[in-house]
Amino acid sequence: MCLQNEADIILSSDAVFTGVLDKPISAYIAIVDNKIAAIGSKTEVDPFLGPNTKVYHYGDQLILPGFHDFHLHLMMGTIFENGVDLSEARSEDEAVQMVKRYADDHPDEEWIIGFGWDASYWDGKQLPNRYSLDHVIGDRLVLLSHAEMHYAWVNSKTLAFCNIHRDTENPPYGFINKDENGEPTGILYEKATKLVDRKAFNYSKDKEKQLLEKFLTLSARVGVTSVNDMYGDNNEKYYELFKEFDEKDQLTTRIHIFPSIDFDLEMLKQLHREYASSKLQFSGLKGFIDGVITSRTAYLVGPYADDPETCGELVYSPEEIKQKVIKADKEGFRIRFHAIGDGAVRLALDAFEEAQKVNGERDSRHTIEHVEVIQKDDISRFHELGVIASMQPELMAQSERETYTSLIGQEREPYVFPINTLKSSGVTVGLGTDFPVATLNPLLEIYRAVTRISSDGTPWHEHERISLAEALKDYTKSPAYGTFRENELGTLEVGKLADLVILDRNLFEVPAEEMLVSKVKLTIVDGQVVYDCNHTSNKTKS
């Protein structure tokens, strides 16, 4: 005989971070079906204990809400995650040798896919070219994405295969880098990379399923229970795959999709209706305003410090941006804009403000992605307009500070990656990885947010540090709010969906550096254990 409210699972720990308070508490948690049925003392939870209840005791190990990655690229990230990692290369030759070793180890792969190179860390800081690749791997197709995913490095065979040559015209918002003789160098910027992407990522359905399975496995292992999958070119082709997994109850991570703001409004309305389950939801629109600092395509207020001839690049004109936002906002869509430079951030704010004037104020929760550089006068406008900031602390750490500052100039440098500045002005900040730009591990992002340790091993603007409690909330509670799911997700409270993570230590009681070695013990999504580090070694059945 089963109790009417018999818990499927009961968890307990002396360190339960509910997200409601700023410190962990000692508590028991009862999960019935897919929701939290009770949280409190043993006496309060005991009525839910039945003969079939699985009970997990975790001592002083930390239980917290499941991590919610507020910004990533799900399939693209998984593709690059399973290619050659070039992030540790410190010269062009070293990167080439890494590619060669990978190619030798994978003789059957048609495309050699790599990711993570960054010439700002190389001697001389010069961009690579196709000829260095040709010398050691001239007979294979090669696509190597820069660490920021806004430009790519390819060899001559790839250029020929994709019909890119001296007479190939640049696409809108993108360009093919050419030498003094007019020949492509092998570096493709912004949308010029799509000339290669569409062929390199033309996978079979079976391959796509394998990639999604790999992502779900990785996600569960690092405690990520929800993600916001931000639009990239051709990303919508995977939505049906996500839906197939959802209908077969195979999604072990909640996926919130953000198709392009450029799509037809009627198509977007259809996607909104079609993707509306608890595990797979249409959540808003994604657009790009600018590029990135390192390629000088991020849009600045005034010229780059090292190149007075350019302020960067806009994907759309200011008027186009405003019209897109007004139309989408009128239909009730929330909009998230990639805006890295201070000029792009200002344009996004201007567009959201214009939409409020035209359509009236509403709880839109429009969001600006990255916000790497901001003008002081624009900080207060986030709160005034109700705009959320989506930020990725590891991107700060990946930026070579000297190079970054030489590009934007010393006068802008005090307001880079301004997480605490925005939070102190009342802005909701949601944290994520921009996977694959950074690894999917939330604890790395939280470590960067708490310490501000940069690539040179020293803090970059210590005043922008936030507390551990704030960082955890910004990876759980804030993304739930930013995705309009604060009544279901983000905190451990009775009635909310049972998405939880248990770590191998209480982060509140150890040095910050231990975040980098902390591991997930257990991940629960929708009341189901989707990852258990060892099945038996750290839990007991009562």
Side-chain angles (χ1 to χ4, degrees):
M1 175 179 173
C2 290
L3 301 175
Q4 183 176 359
N5 290 316
E6 178 182 351
D8 299 297
I9 297 172
I10 289 178
L11 307 165
S12 73
S13 172
D14 292 331
V16 177
F17 182 77
T18 63
V20 178
L21 304 174
D22 287 338
K23 292 288 185 180
I25 61 172
S26 178
Y28 285 71
I29 302 170
I31 297 172
V32 176
D33 294 328
N34 67 338
K35 292 185 178 180
I36 297 174
I39 181 168
S41 67
K42 184 177 187 298
T43 302
E44 291 172 296
V45 173
D46 269 349
F48 293 88
L49 180 63
N52 300 308
T53 302
K54 295 178 180 179
V55 180
Y56 301 78
H57 296 305
Y58 283 99
D60 62 353
Q61 295 173 324
L62 189 64
I63 299 178
L64 68 159
F67 293 116
H68 187 150
D69 194 313
F70 201 41
H71 180 125
L72 56 65
H73 305 274
L74 193 158
M75 293 295 282
M76 186 63 69
T78 309
I79 291 167
F80 285 127
E81 179 83 5
N82 290 277
V84 54
D85 181 2
L86 301 174
S87 60
E88 297 300 318
R90 289 298 175 262
S91 69
E92 181 174 359
D93 181 64
E94 187 175 355
V96 167
Q97 292 306 315
M98 287 178 172
V99 174
K100 184 180 187 304
R101 285 194 295 271
Y102 181 89
D104 290 344
D105 291 340
H106 299 81
D108 297 327
E109 291 188 10
E110 181 184 10
W111 283 87
I112 305 303
I113 304 295
F115 177 76
W117 63 272
D118 187 347
S120 66
Y121 287 100
W122 298 355
D123 295 338
K125 304 184 188 299
Q126 295 296 313
L127 287 172
N129 62 62
R130 59 181 167 129
Y131 304 110
S132 58
L133 288 172
D134 293 347
H135 183 65
V136 297
I137 186 168
D139 59 342
R140 304 274 294 276
L141 296 167
V142 179
L143 171 59
L144 309 174
S145 178
H146 182 266
E148 293 174 298
M149 287 176 57
H150 283 254
Y151 44 114
W153 173 23
V154 300
N155 63 356
S156 296
K157 184 176 179 66
T158 301
L159 290 173
F161 183 76
C162 297
N163 198 30
I164 300 171
H165 47 78
R166 63 182 297 125
D167 298 321
T168 304
E169 294 185 3
N170 291 325
Y173 197 74
F175 62 97
I176 301 161
N177 197 40
K178 296 178 181 178
D179 62 22
E180 63 275 10
N181 299 315
E183 294 293 337
T185 65
I187 299 295
L188 308 171
Y189 288 94
E190 300 295 347
K191 291 193 175 181
T193 64
K194 308 312 172 190
L195 301 173
V196 177
D197 288 355
R198 65 172 63 109
K199 294 191 175 184
F201 305 135
N202 185 26
Y203 295 124
S204 68
K205 287 296 181 185
D206 284 343
K207 176 69 171 178
E208 290 175 355
K209 288 180 181 180
Q210 291 172 13
L211 289 168
L212 180 53
E213 288 168 353
K214 286 183 177 182
F215 174 83
L216 295 173
T217 298
L218 172 62
S219 181
R221 191 174 75 239
V222 297
V224 172
T225 58
S226 290
V227 301
N228 287 13
D229 187 27
M230 309 306 289
Y231 170 75
D233 281 320
N234 297 319
N235 197 59
E236 74 284 354
K237 73 178 183 178
Y238 300 121
Y239 293 167
E240 282 297 324
L241 176 64
F242 298 164
K243 189 174 184 180
E244 178 184 335
F245 272 57
D246 185 32
E247 291 174 344
K248 293 180 179 179
D249 199 26
Q250 294 175 339
L251 280 187
T252 53
T253 303
R254 300 184 196 277
I255 300 175
H256 305 87
I257 61 172
F258 288 81
S260 173
I261 194 172
D262 294 334
F263 290 169
D264 176 78
L265 282 176
E266 291 306 314
M267 174 187 174
L268 294 171
K269 291 177 186 177
Q270 176 61 32
L271 289 173
H272 194 186
R273 292 189 294 267
E274 188 174 350
Y275 294 88
S277 77
S278 179
K279 291 279 192 72
L280 179 60
Q281 287 189 13
F282 175 103
S283 195
L285 309 181
K286 165 74 183 298
F288 287 86
I289 289 182
D290 67 346
V292 294
I293 295 293
T294 56
S295 64
R296 298 182 190 81
T297 53
Y299 188 67
L300 301 181
V301 175
Y304 276 78
D306 69 334
D307 187 354
E309 298 301 313
T310 184
C311 297
E313 303 286 340
L314 285 174
V315 178
Y316 320 101
S317 71
E319 188 55 36
E320 285 179 302
I321 292 168
K322 291 178 182 178
Q323 289 305 312
K324 286 177 181 293
V325 171
I326 290 169
K327 288 179 181 179
D329 178 80
K330 185 177 181 179
E331 297 293 340
F333 292 123
R334 71 175 294 229
I335 300 148
R336 298 176 62 168
F337 267 126
H338 168 114
I340 282 182
D342 52 5
V345 172
R346 176 168 289 177
L347 279 173
L349 292 169
D350 289 347
F352 295 148
E353 184 173 15
E354 188 70 17
Q356 283 191 7
K357 291 177 181 177
V358 175
N359 300 328
E361 293 187 26
R362 66 181 180 88
D363 184 15
S364 59
R365 306 187 194 180
H366 297 321
T367 303
I368 301 180
E369 308 297 319
H370 310 307
V371 197
E372 289 189 12
V373 187
I374 191 172
Q375 289 285 310
K376 184 178 181 180
D377 293 345
D378 288 327
I379 293 168
S380 62
R381 297 179 67 199
F382 275 81
H383 181 62
E384 292 165 2
L385 295 168
V387 174
I388 297 169
S390 170
M391 305 186 75
Q392 304 78 35
E394 175 62 11
L395 302 193
M396 175 273 302
Q398 290 181 5
S399 301
E400 204 287 318
R401 186 173 180 177
E402 181 180 347
T403 300
Y404 196 96
T405 301
S406 71
L407 291 165
I408 64 171
Q410 288 291 342
E411 71 281 2
R412 292 189 179 92
E413 204 268 349
Y415 296 101
V416 295
F417 305 95
I419 296 176
N420 188 49
T421 293
L422 288 166
K423 288 178 63 67
S424 299
S425 67
V427 179
T428 296
V429 173
L431 299 181
T433 58
D434 203 8
F435 175 75
V437 178
T439 68
L440 195 60
N441 183 7
L443 295 176
L444 177 58
E445 300 290 340
I446 291 167
Y447 169 76
R448 299 298 186 192
V450 170
T451 67
R452 293 289 293 198
I453 298 297
S454 188
S455 58
D456 62 3
T458 62
W460 191 354
H461 294 334
E462 293 180 77
H463 63 275
E464 294 295 355
R465 290 172 172 171
I466 60 176
S467 71
L468 175 59
E470 288 178 297
L472 291 175
K473 288 181 181 181
D474 291 346
Y475 227 112
T476 54
K477 185 177 182 179
S478 294
Y481 171 81
T483 317
F484 284 94
R485 300 195 71 176
E486 69 271 25
N487 293 325
E488 302 174 281
L489 303 170
T491 57
L492 302 183
E493 297 179 80
V494 172
K496 289 200 171 182
L497 293 170
D499 293 2
L500 305 92
V501 173
I502 296 88
L503 301 181
D504 64 1
R505 68 201 73 194
N506 180 359
L507 300 182
F508 289 85
E509 299 295 333
V510 299
E513 289 71 24
E514 290 200 24
M515 293 182 208
L516 300 176
V517 295
S518 181
K519 303 294 183 184
V520 170
K521 301 290 291 184
L522 196 79
T523 303
I524 296 175
V525 175
D526 217 37
Q528 301 293 315
V529 174
V530 298
Y531 174 75
D532 186 332
C533 71
N534 51 22
H535 300 291
T536 58
S537 64
N538 203 53
K539 62 182 182 181
T540 58
K541 179 76 180 290
S542 298

